[in-house]
Amino acid sequence: MTVMTKPDHTTARATVRAPALSPATTAKPDLISVEQAKAMDVARMTDLFKAHLNPGQLHFMKLLGFHKIKVERAEGMFYIDQNGRKILDFFGGFGSLAFGHNHPRLLEARKKFQEEKRQEIAIAFMSQYAAALAHNLAKCSPGDLDMVFLGSSGSEAMEAAVKLAERAAGPKRPKIVYAENSFHGKTKGVLAITDGSLYRADFKMADNVVRIPFADIEAVERTFRSDPEVGVIVLETIQGGGGIIQAPAEYWQKLRALCDHYGVLWVADEVQCGYGRSGRFYAFEHYGVVPDVTALAKSLGGGKAAVGAMIARREVYMKAYGTPKMAMIHAMATFGGMGEACVTSIEALNVLYDEGLIDNAAVTGDYLLQRLQALREKYPKIIKEVRGKGLMVGLEFHDFSQTLPMVLRPVISVLDDKLKGSLSGFVGALLLRDYDVLVAFTEYNRNVIRLEPPLICQRDHVDRFVEALDSLLSRGIVSIVKDFVKSQVR
């Protein structure tokens, strides 16, 4: 018989060679500190911009002379550069600076929030700040626009608006109508309703969209009548990128009636023209109509925080997301409704009304338009048209050939398309270089200078801007071109 014996007990254990332990501390890369960033000079800024941000954009900044500016601080209506030069801001960050730069009440609200160590991200809980901001936006909105989605940008707000409207319209009506020369954002979804070949590039667009002319109510009616799959129409109340283009009051009133008749949901993009810029909180309020869904951003964050919002009629919102099963389809994103951003927006809305900035936009905007119309009459061969509402104004120049002496026009006219935007660029560059005034441009009609100064703008700011423009135009086109060329070779 074979007897099995248990091996002698041993304390020895099998060992496995472990990998080398990680270093006790992770090596810190060669990072720039806050103080080093603040002290950076223009040459270093240019190198880093070219290396890590957008080399192609730098080309255009150099053409306009914008690359020479290092903003050291900003206050009210002005940027202050590295040389202490005060630059009058008639650009306004495409309408993002309703309160000017660093409004003291907004700074104080943010400082207090930080000192009290309030919660910033409260995804798991309800936020008193997000709830309060949503309430305030509902109170500022006419009709039954009272359901709010909070995000971080205009594009995000418009994405939310279009998605909500498409769901509420239903799967049998998936088509979305949009207008020529529209701009609704650069993110992938709303890019399909942004009418710009530059931005669309060769991306694959959503194919459930229908393009029609802007401000053509007959085109709207034909489209609604002929295509029962149309469920949504998306329009800027005032086209910003198109060159500050408006439709008459009757267009909006008939649009509302047609949407009601055909059961189409109207999304009003007020990202740029809203928030008091037109002289009313929403630009569509000028026409006595209310859309089904709208969107705000830009100045909603008070120029200190990135905030966007979609505001919808409760009936439309509930149809899209009103049950627990559907509630999370497009719920708030991680940075939607952040504490300090909401606090900033809450204070900003109060400042907007406490300081009468909506009324100021109407009154000062009228004064700006009057002064620019007088300038157009003085320089009819240079300024083609002045248009706008409130402090959202477009100044359109004639095609380049039309501004030149008669003998040169036939020769230069063949180049007008290629030269579009050159005169507005020359003027913008020289206003900055010689007069310390900053203006903007428009995406589609490059002959237009876009003026969207802060809503704190006063008559003396308007006078300074118009007098600078008058002085520049008085040089004559030939001298303006020569002066610009000289600026490029220095």
Side-chain angles (χ1 to χ4, degrees):
M1 181 176 83
T2 303
V3 178
M4 303 294 294
T5 59
K6 187 176 180 181
D8 292 339
H9 177 73
T10 176
T11 58
R13 296 186 180 182
T15 59
V16 177
R17 185 178 295 275
L21 293 175
S22 299
T25 57
T26 302
K28 183 179 180 180
D30 183 17
L31 303 180
I32 296 171
S33 71
V34 171
E35 287 302 313
Q36 288 171 329
K38 186 171 71 173
M40 194 179 294
D41 62 20
V42 171
R44 177 66 168 150
M45 289 165 57
T46 302
D47 288 343
L48 294 180
F49 192 97
K50 187 175 181 180
H52 303 298
L53 285 170
N54 194 327
Q57 185 180 355
L58 186 61
H59 165 77
F60 297 104
M61 296 177 76
K62 287 182 175 179
L63 278 178
L64 296 167
F66 291 1
H67 71 298
K68 299 175 182 177
I69 304 297
K70 178 191 175 186
V71 177
E72 291 288 2
R73 60 190 183 89
E75 185 175 353
M77 287 289 297
F78 296 92
Y79 289 103
I80 296 91
D81 77 358
Q82 70 272 32
N83 300 312
R85 180 169 63 138
K86 295 181 70 175
I87 299 169
L88 179 63
D89 186 5
F90 259 62
F91 171 20
F94 294 119
S96 299
L97 293 162
F99 307 95
H101 300 273
N102 289 308
H103 191 287
R105 277 183 57 177
L106 303 184
L107 295 180
E108 182 60 30
R110 292 168 67 84
K111 180 181 177 183
K112 187 175 182 181
F113 181 92
Q114 294 165 13
E115 289 175 345
E116 294 176 350
K117 298 183 180 178
R118 298 286 182 170
Q119 85 273 11
E120 192 66 86
I121 297 176
I123 297 172
F125 310 104
M126 290 184 289
S127 165
Q128 63 267 50
Y129 309 116
L133 177 56
H135 167 272
N136 287 358
L137 287 170
K139 287 294 184 182
C140 292
S141 302
D144 53 353
L145 290 168
D146 59 4
M147 297 298 291
V148 178
F149 169 89
L150 296 174
S152 305
S153 69
S155 291
E156 188 181 359
M158 283 303 299
E159 292 276 2
V162 172
K163 285 179 69 178
L164 178 136
E166 185 177 332
R167 275 195 60 81
K172 293 182 179 180
R173 306 190 68 176
K175 291 188 179 179
I176 300 168
V177 176
Y178 72 101
E180 293 175 357
N181 293 324
S182 61
F183 183 91
H184 298 294
K186 297 177 185 176
T187 51
K188 193 62 160 55
V190 291
L191 196 57
I193 54 173
T194 289
D195 187 36
S197 57
L198 173 65
Y199 303 122
R200 288 178 168 223
D202 54 359
F203 296 111
K204 173 67 176 175
M205 296 293 106
D207 58 6
N208 62 325
V209 296
V210 180
R211 177 175 177 264
I212 63 171
F214 182 68
D216 185 340
I217 199 64
E218 293 179 359
V220 174
E221 185 165 17
R222 281 195 306 271
T223 304
F224 287 4
R225 186 175 60 245
S226 63
D227 193 344
E229 291 192 345
V230 169
V232 180
I233 184 167
V234 184
L235 299 167
E236 295 163 272
T237 314
I238 301 174
Q239 287 193 326
I244 318 299
I245 305 299
Q246 302 175 74
E250 55 267 25
Y251 171 84
W252 300 107
Q253 292 154 7
K254 289 179 181 178
L255 174 71
R256 179 70 272 177
L258 286 172
C259 286
D260 292 340
H261 178 75
Y262 287 97
V264 174
L265 296 174
W266 167 26
V267 177
D269 183 344
E270 293 260 339
V271 166
Q272 191 169 150
C273 61
Y275 204 81
R277 181 148 297 278
S278 73
R280 301 292 295 271
F281 188 80
Y282 294 104
F284 59 72
E285 292 183 89
H286 288 283
Y287 311 117
V289 289
V290 180
D292 300 291
V293 187
T294 190
L296 293 169
K298 301 297 185 187
S299 289
L300 183 56
K304 299 300 296 181
V307 185
M310 174 208 73
I311 307 96
R313 292 173 49 226
R314 186 176 187 84
E315 177 186 353
V316 176
Y317 182 92
M318 295 302 286
K319 191 173 181 180
Y321 305 129
T323 68
K325 183 178 179 180
M326 298 186 294
M328 302 305 290
I329 291 175
H330 198 91
M332 197 179 297
T334 305
F335 300 119
M338 287 183 70
E340 189 172 330
C342 286
V343 165
T344 308
S345 293
I346 290 166
E347 185 69 357
L349 279 168
N350 279 278
V351 172
L352 187 70
Y353 288 94
D354 291 346
E355 297 190 359
L357 297 184
I358 299 176
D359 296 335
N360 184 66
V363 173
T364 307
D366 282 347
Y367 181 64
L368 173 61
L369 285 166
Q370 290 168 18
R371 292 227 51 192
L372 289 175
Q373 289 290 1
L375 213 58
R376 185 186 69 82
E377 293 171 9
K378 185 175 181 180
Y379 303 103
K381 294 180 180 179
I382 301 176
I383 300 175
K384 180 179 180 181
E385 188 177 1
V386 174
R387 53 183 178 265
K389 193 177 287 294
L391 287 173
M392 185 173 182
V393 173
L395 178 72
E396 183 173 0
F397 295 115
H398 286 288
D399 282 337
F400 198 77
S401 65
Q402 301 305 303
T403 67
L404 297 172
M406 190 68 70
V407 67
L408 296 175
R409 291 183 187 180
V411 179
I412 303 299
S413 62
V414 297
L415 299 173
D416 273 340
D417 189 55
K418 290 184 178 180
L419 290 172
K420 264 196 188 305
S422 55
L423 181 55
S424 58
F426 299 161
V427 169
L430 294 175
L431 279 173
L432 178 62
R433 190 194 73 179
D434 298 343
Y435 301 93
D436 303 336
V437 174
L438 180 66
V439 297
F441 312 97
T442 62
E443 285 87 346
Y444 304 134
N445 186 343
R446 300 190 304 278
N447 283 346
V448 177
I449 282 181
R450 176 171 12 195
L451 306 172
E452 296 182 14
L455 306 190
I456 62 170
C457 182
Q458 300 296 311
R459 288 169 71 101
D460 61 316
H461 300 123
V462 171
D463 290 339
R464 175 176 164 180
F465 164 70
V466 174
E467 287 161 13
L469 183 59
D470 186 7
S471 174
L472 177 56
L473 296 181
S474 71
R475 301 180 190 178
I477 295 301
V478 173
S479 291
I480 288 173
V481 174
K482 287 181 179 178
D483 290 343
F484 177 80
V485 170
K486 286 178 183 177
S487 73
Q488 297 300 300
V489 297
R490 285 178 184 172

